[in-house]
Amino acid sequence: MDTGSMFHSFQEVLRQRGWRVDLGPPKTSADLPTYLLFFSLDGLAFTQTCIEIAQYPLPISLITKVARDADADFVLAPKIGPTTSSELRRLSINHADLTGRLSLRSPGVVLEVEGLPGGNSDGVSKAWLREHNKGRSIDLTSTKTAQLVFCILNWPKLLAAPSRLIADVAGVSLGLVPRTLRHLEEIEMVHGRRWMGSGRSIIAHAWLAAYRNRLGPSLHIATMETPLLEVLEANTTLGGGFAVPWLIRPRIGAAYVAELSDDLVRASRLRKSESPNVEVRKKFWRSPPAEFLEGPHRAGEQNTAPPLLVYADLSSSLDQREQEAARAYLQEEPELQWLRGGSL
């Protein structure tokens, strides 16, 4: 299923406001164009499953049925009148149209917009859930914060560790740890050094949305070629498609290294090539001590990246095959069971 006819117009309206929305994978089983949207608004990143409804006007009952049948939480239409908008808002259905209307509620954001940018009716009322003097956002535009958040998401027991150990595992400064944990407590995602309710899933989805545009690209070191993937596996930590060979044989897979040294290049038979099959990426994390690990993915037991990072690499790929592998991996990986309830 393609993106329909409205996405790029909607993308341009947001761009004029200084906001960004990127296109994620389509939902091929839907009758109408349905796809994932990656929003980046004033430093806050999150996702929505969008369905395009080109017909206008439509009864509110039909809009609601179409959205819910497609398991979509965001409706995009050519025009949505104020009465319909109010009713959709009451039903907790996020929506936007091509006249500039946008009504959005998501963890970390409450946003109401009417009119096109620069027009006489351009009115923006936004609050990053500060409605009751209480924010519910965390800045994931900082790569170091994103590294730290990744580690406590992937290894939740690490929340109870000393700050110095958390900093060492995440590769960040010691001072960043208490500031980030304190903020997570203030926005009621963490309490008593444990994730609260759906807090882990909420922050994970924001982290995944930010990963593709922030932390992910910052990890790139080089693209190279190796004739022997077995040798690469012995000398690096495999990510993306390389970590799930039973699901996909990627054109280019990820290999994480602490440093791309001459010795590692020789040992892994890496070389520059016009047809690379390896993206060498910075390994920013260290495995925590065994008492902070859970499940089968324990230090030294397998030379692959942590499951959340494998999923992030697959799902953020532009290769449709890797996006399909991401969906399959999310469903089958036991250590991502906590993420499946609000899966992307």
Side-chain angles (χ1 to χ4, degrees):
M1 180 74 65
D2 64 20
T3 61
S5 59
M6 288 183 278
F7 167 74
H8 295 293
S9 297
F10 176 55
Q11 184 183 47
E12 176 61 20
V13 170
L14 289 195
R15 187 196 65 78
Q16 292 175 27
R17 294 191 185 280
W19 302 332
R20 177 170 178 167
V21 61
D22 292 306
L23 186 64
K27 188 173 182 179
T28 55
S29 60
D31 293 331
L32 294 175
T34 308
Y35 43 84
L36 200 65
L37 294 178
F38 295 93
F39 285 91
S40 181
L41 308 179
D42 293 0
L44 184 67
F46 56 95
T47 62
Q48 294 277 288
T49 299
C50 173
I51 185 166
E52 289 191 11
I53 302 179
Q55 298 92 337
Y56 178 82
L58 276 181
I60 188 71
S61 58
L62 185 55
I63 295 176
T64 303
K65 183 179 186 303
V66 167
R68 289 180 175 165
D69 286 351
D71 198 23
D73 44 27
F74 190 93
V75 169
L76 180 59
K79 184 177 180 181
I80 297 175
T83 301
T84 300
S85 178
S86 295
E87 185 63 13
L88 289 174
R89 204 158 38 241
R90 186 185 70 80
L91 295 170
S92 300
I93 298 176
N94 293 328
H95 54 279
D97 65 17
L98 303 187
T99 73
R101 182 182 300 279
L102 173 61
S103 178
L104 185 58
R105 303 287 191 277
S106 186
V109 58
V110 174
L111 187 59
E112 294 294 334
V113 178
E114 291 184 10
L116 294 171
N120 292 333
S121 62
D122 181 18
V124 180
S125 172
K126 58 181 177 176
W128 306 110
L129 284 192
R130 294 184 182 132
E131 296 170 295
H132 305 291
N133 296 320
K134 187 178 294 183
R136 276 181 173 265
S137 65
I138 186 166
D139 182 11
L140 293 171
T141 61
S142 160
T143 57
K144 291 299 183 181
T145 301
Q147 288 179 203
L148 172 57
V149 169
F150 163 78
C151 289
I152 59 177
L153 284 170
N154 196 75
W155 298 295
K157 290 183 179 180
L158 201 59
L159 278 168
S163 293
R164 189 172 297 279
L165 175 59
I166 300 175
D168 183 59
V169 169
V172 301
S173 68
L174 179 60
L176 181 61
V177 176
R179 289 200 304 272
T180 302
L181 297 187
R182 184 167 57 249
H183 183 59
L184 287 169
E185 289 186 348
E186 289 171 354
I187 63 176
E188 298 181 355
M189 298 289 124
V190 167
H191 179 69
R193 292 294 189 109
R194 297 182 65 181
W195 289 107
M196 289 181 62
S198 60
R200 187 183 180 196
S201 179
I202 290 170
I203 296 300
H205 283 77
W207 181 86
L208 286 162
Y211 178 81
R212 68 194 308 265
N213 293 320
R214 296 289 182 174
L215 179 58
S218 76
L219 302 176
H220 176 82
I221 297 176
T223 50
M224 306 183 80
E225 181 186 18
T226 180
L228 296 172
L229 293 181
E230 296 82 359
V231 175
L232 185 71
E233 184 177 4
N235 294 284
T236 69
T237 298
L238 302 182
F242 280 167
V244 288
W246 63 92
L247 292 176
I248 190 173
R249 294 186 64 180
R251 185 177 64 84
I252 298 180
Y256 287 89
V257 300
E259 181 184 5
L260 187 59
S261 65
D262 291 341
D263 288 344
L264 186 144
V265 168
R266 285 193 295 269
S268 301
R269 309 282 183 86
L270 288 167
R271 63 192 179 204
K272 294 182 179 179
S273 171
E274 293 184 357
S275 302
N277 61 352
V278 180
E279 181 186 7
V280 183
R281 314 191 88 203
K282 175 69 174 177
K283 184 179 179 181
F284 61 85
W285 75 95
R286 296 183 183 181
S287 291
E291 62 264 32
F292 297 103
L293 300 171
E294 24 182 65
H297 196 281
R298 302 180 67 84
E301 290 189 10
Q302 52 183 317
N303 206 25
T304 57
L308 182 60
L309 187 58
V310 172
Y311 176 69
D313 282 338
L314 290 170
S315 62
S316 63
S317 171
L318 297 178
D319 185 334
Q320 181 65 33
R321 297 183 310 122
E322 293 201 21
Q323 294 172 7
E324 292 173 359
R327 290 190 283 271
Y329 181 65
L330 179 62
Q331 293 305 312
E332 72 175 37
E333 172 53 52
E335 291 187 55
L336 294 180
Q337 182 177 358
W338 60 273
L339 190 59
R340 288 200 282 271
S343 60
L344 296 179

